[in-house]
Amino acid sequence: GRKAIILITDGIDNASRLSLFESMFAAGRVGVEIYTIGFAGSSESLRDKNEEGTNAEILKLVSKETGGTFFWIDDPDELKEALHSVEDDLRSQYVLGYTPPRTKCGGSFRRIELRVGKDRYNVRTRKGYVSGPC
């Protein structure tokens, strides 16, 4: 089945064992999408969700790089809507695949790009994948 992580957070990292980039690399290696749901706690850590360099921007980056989506909630009632959106998203995805040439292997990152001819489609992809062993 589909693999996904739903990360519900105030944006404060207080117990990570991996760095942000190690975590995103690990998620990419196993093909898991990360959906991030940010909310403003008492710390106001995510308050300005549009300001560059904030925890909200980091959560947006994590979602974008892994093929997930970022949600901002100000009210606990919005959490239910965000979770329904994730559920709908996971149920309505198409998976495209291809077999790449074996020119690079051994765990290197390979960039991919998907282009569609119609603007009416909402296309969201990962930026690439980690190649397998030779």
Side-chain angles (χ1 to χ4, degrees):
R2 305 281 318 165
K3 297 177 196 172
I5 293 173
I6 300 172
L7 175 63
I8 303 171
T9 181
D10 64 356
I12 297 174
D13 182 357
N14 55 15
S16 291
R17 294 183 184 166
L18 298 176
S19 74
L20 172 66
F21 294 103
E22 288 172 325
S23 300
M24 288 190 322
F25 183 77
R29 222 175 48 229
V30 296
V32 68
E33 299 170 39
I34 301 177
Y35 292 84
T36 56
I37 301 175
F39 64 92
S42 59
S43 67
E44 303 286 326
S45 62
L46 290 170
R47 178 48 50 204
D48 190 349
K49 62 182 177 235
N50 296 314
E51 186 178 320
E52 193 169 321
T54 62
N55 291 338
E57 283 298 315
I58 292 169
L59 295 177
K60 288 177 189 177
L61 174 68
V62 168
S63 290
K64 182 178 178 183
E65 292 295 319
T66 62
T69 304
F70 170 75
F71 298 90
W72 173 265
I73 61 171
D74 289 307
D75 177 314
D77 292 332
E78 295 173 344
L79 178 59
K80 190 174 185 179
E81 291 177 33
L83 292 173
H84 280 300
S85 293
V86 171
E87 181 182 27
D88 290 344
D89 192 45
L90 291 172
R91 289 179 189 263
S92 64
Q93 290 179 348
Y94 289 92
V95 177
L96 301 176
Y98 78 104
T99 304
R102 286 218 172 256
T103 56
K104 283 186 178 178
C105 53
S108 62
F109 183 79
R110 296 178 133 186
R111 286 208 160 277
I112 56 173
E113 181 180 354
L114 177 64
R115 297 180 193 164
V116 294
K118 308 257 184 205
D119 288 337
R120 67 180 184 193
Y121 299 113
N122 180 15
V123 177
R124 194 177 65 240
T125 64
R126 293 183 290 153
K127 298 290 182 191
Y129 65 96
V130 177
S131 65
C134 293

